[in-house]
Amino acid sequence: MGLIVQKYGGSSVGDVERIKNVARRVCETRDAGNKVVVVVSAMRGETDRLIGLAKQIMKIPTEREMDMILATGEQTTIALTAMALHDMGIPAVSLTGAQAGIVTDGVHTKAKISNITPERIHGFLEEGNVVIVAGFQGQTPEGNITTLGRGGSDLTAIALAAALKADLCQIFTDVDGVYTCDPRIVGNARKLNEISYEEMLELASLGAKVMQSRSVEFAKKFGVIFEVRSSLNTNPGTIVKEENPSMESVVVRGVSLDKNQAKLTLFSVPDKPGMASRIFKHLAQASVNVDMIVQNVSHAADSPATDLSFTVEKADLAKACRVIEDMKGEVGFSELVSDEDVCKVSIVGVGMRTHSGVAAKMFETLSEGSINIEMISTSEIKISVVIRLAEGEKATQALHDAFIEI
Ligand code: ADP
Ligand code: ASP
Ligand code: MG
């Protein structure tokens, strides 16, 4: 018994029947003597629909207005969930992010939570209510509505669990937990009973959308242990927590595929100090996150120039191209080529710190499948490669077969 934060994602509130199912689950948790704070996402597909509408009006929508429209998705769900509880005779109050005291910076569509004042939530809980908070949104100190990046309801739940000092944080979704790979891509992927924050963070930022990566970063920072589990059954889920020594015995914990990548190449960038700094400073100022970067060796000894490739999220591609074209005069490259037919495949595991030969085995596996590697990046606990999009699923399955014990 205690205070429990439960988050239900878009598929768990995808239609009216599913919303009633959520209300029943919340009711069971409350009947067991707990105070319950529920975070809900927009109904499945709704956020994409709203983005589509905005883009029909404007190719690159103005970001403040984008947040204004996106926040309506979650606002619909909180009201419906509260009504479903009222219909069962349970006192419940719905709150937008702003009403729940979630304050963010002003970076529209990717805002960071700066502070939560949970007094209002506590007040409603004390009165015996279930409190239902709109995920994915907050408000700047000036009163502008912001959103927290795609998948941001996970962050709302984890941040609220930290701010409310909750006894338990549960992320309900449409799979039984965190698997060794997306079970929709690799049919024989296995559910993990536990995973470390670091591994979950890498998997999430490398494409495993079961958790938003920023939410995992937040959980690690504030020590919020959470469980990922299904809203459609009562199977135990996956516990995400601090690493323990036994976790290093597994070399590769999971494989992920990110199809949401695009590659940009700038040809003939003058090979002299300050060029990379200019290019990436402008991109950073436009809030474009750059992932992998590869600079080729210089060609043409008389006027040295080099080709520079890097990856960004597909959603940022139009903005990144615009920023780069705008600096063409300043940087002096010859041509910009963008390529959306790429993807990133990664293997992740804390055991890589203590085992050698992992990269060699990964490249050998890909070469056996005649898959060409275009870019490589590594960290202590992951290896990622950029390959052709069409080969992504085949590569993911091959790496899962090679590294994961079933
Ligand atoms: P929600 O709407 O509940 O937020 P998401 O669609 O964001 O759910 O995330 C759940 C989906 O994440 C699953 O349906 C699954 O296809 C996908 N997924 C990707 N990688 C993994 C993984 N390693 N383990 C489990 N699910 C994964
Ligand atoms: N509705 C938002 C999205 O689709 C946030 C979320 O579902 O977590 O990205
Ligand atoms: Mg999600």
Side-chain angles (χ1 to χ4, degrees):
M1 286 199 230
L3 198 162
I4 301 185
V5 174
Q6 296 188 330
K7 178 255 169 177
Y8 292 91
S11 47
S12 303
V13 293
D15 58 35
V16 167
E17 280 317 309
R18 293 255 173 121
I19 291 177
K20 288 182 182 172
N21 170 57
V22 165
R24 279 191 294 274
R25 293 195 79 126
V26 170
C27 183
E28 280 164 22
T29 312
R30 183 178 181 270
D31 285 351
N34 300 295
K35 290 179 181 161
V36 194
V37 174
V38 182
V39 174
V40 284
S41 292
M43 295 165 82
R44 168 174 242 143
E46 178 63 4
T47 305
D48 288 334
R49 189 185 73 85
L50 295 169
I51 292 172
L53 279 178
K55 286 193 172 164
Q56 283 177 48
I57 300 276
M58 214 181 168
K59 198 167 159 220
I60 304 179
T62 38
E63 291 179 334
R64 181 185 180 281
E65 307 314 319
M66 191 63 155
D67 277 350
M68 191 64 93
I69 187 171
L70 289 185
T72 65
E74 271 68 13
Q75 199 169 329
T76 303
T77 331
I78 51 170
L80 293 174
T81 310
M83 287 174 195
L85 285 160
H86 295 165
D87 194 51
M88 296 165 72
I90 310 288
V93 180
S94 64
L95 298 174
T96 62
Q99 289 173 328
I102 298 174
V103 182
T104 73
D105 65 17
V107 183
H108 284 289
T109 77
K110 284 180 192 163
K112 287 202 171 68
I113 296 178
S114 44
N115 168 34
I116 298 183
T117 44
E119 284 69 27
R120 199 157 175 201
I121 297 181
H122 278 305
F124 283 122
L125 287 172
E126 286 311 316
E127 289 167 10
N129 293 286
V130 171
V131 178
I132 300 152
V133 180
F136 177 53
Q137 55 175 262
Q139 180 176 262
T140 64
E142 298 77 37
N144 287 315
I145 293 177
T146 50
T147 62
L148 310 175
R150 295 306 305 264
S153 301
D154 295 331
L155 177 58
T156 305
I158 304 255
L160 279 178
L164 294 164
K165 300 188 174 52
D167 299 289
L168 189 61
C169 180
Q170 298 174 311
I171 307 290
F172 287 92
T173 183
D174 60 352
V175 281
D176 281 2
V178 180
Y179 281 66
T180 49
C181 188
D182 186 342
R184 289 178 213 277
I185 298 171
V186 169
N188 59 347
R190 177 168 55 79
K191 190 187 84 185
L192 297 161
N193 294 328
E194 59 175 29
I195 184 169
S196 67
Y197 290 128
E198 278 196 59
E199 289 167 324
M200 185 71 251
L201 183 56
E202 289 285 8
L203 283 176
S205 47
L206 296 168
K209 72 164 193 161
V210 63
M211 286 300 297
Q212 188 213 30
S213 60
R214 282 172 51 194
S215 72
V216 184
E217 215 175 307
F218 197 103
K220 179 173 156 59
K221 187 165 169 197
F222 292 95
V224 179
I225 296 171
F226 61 95
E227 183 187 17
V228 181
R229 56 186 297 170
S230 170
S231 65
L232 306 170
N233 61 45
T234 55
N235 298 342
T238 304
I239 304 290
V240 187
K241 60 181 192 182
E242 204 54 71
E243 181 181 335
N244 62 49
S246 72
M247 287 178 176
E248 281 207 353
S249 62
V250 175
V251 185
V252 174
R253 182 88 49 201
V255 183
S256 65
L257 170 62
D258 187 352
K259 294 182 177 175
N260 197 20
Q261 295 282 305
K263 185 168 99 175
L264 288 152
T265 303
L266 279 75
F267 288 98
S268 299
V269 180
D271 195 6
K272 58 182 189 198
M275 288 299 134
S277 144
R278 273 185 219 173
I279 294 165
F280 294 110
K281 186 179 78 192
H282 285 295
L283 288 165
Q285 279 165 351
S287 298
V288 173
N289 291 330
V290 173
D291 182 23
M292 282 191 213
I293 304 173
V294 172
Q295 181 174 317
N296 292 326
V297 286
S298 201
H299 42 82
D302 46 337
S303 89
T306 177
D307 302 335
L308 184 71
S309 294
F310 56 90
T311 57
V312 298
E313 282 185 14
K314 278 200 175 108
D316 280 342
L317 180 62
K319 191 157 70 167
C321 288
R322 193 188 59 196
V323 169
I324 289 172
E325 290 295 354
D326 285 351
M327 62 172 126
K328 192 164 184 179
E330 190 187 336
V331 174
F333 59 90
S334 67
E335 193 190 354
L336 167 68
V337 171
S338 68
D339 180 355
E340 291 192 77
D341 288 328
V342 294
C343 65
K344 183 169 59 178
V345 187
S346 312
I347 56 175
V348 171
V350 288
M352 282 188 209
R353 285 197 203 111
T354 45
H355 293 75
S356 55
V358 185
K361 183 170 167 184
M362 180 178 192
F363 303 152
E364 191 188 342
T365 306
L366 293 172
S367 109
E368 279 164 6
S370 306
I371 294 163
N372 187 43
I373 301 172
E374 298 180 24
M375 294 167 115
I376 301 171
S377 100
T378 63
S379 80
E380 229 190 350
I381 67 159
K382 71 119 204 256
I383 307 170
S384 300
V385 294
V386 169
I387 59 172
R388 286 291 98 200
L389 180 60
E391 293 181 322
E393 299 203 356
K394 177 176 138 189
T396 307
Q397 180 73 59
L399 292 172
H400 195 273
D401 290 344
F403 283 104
I404 307 282
E405 273 183 45
I406 297 297

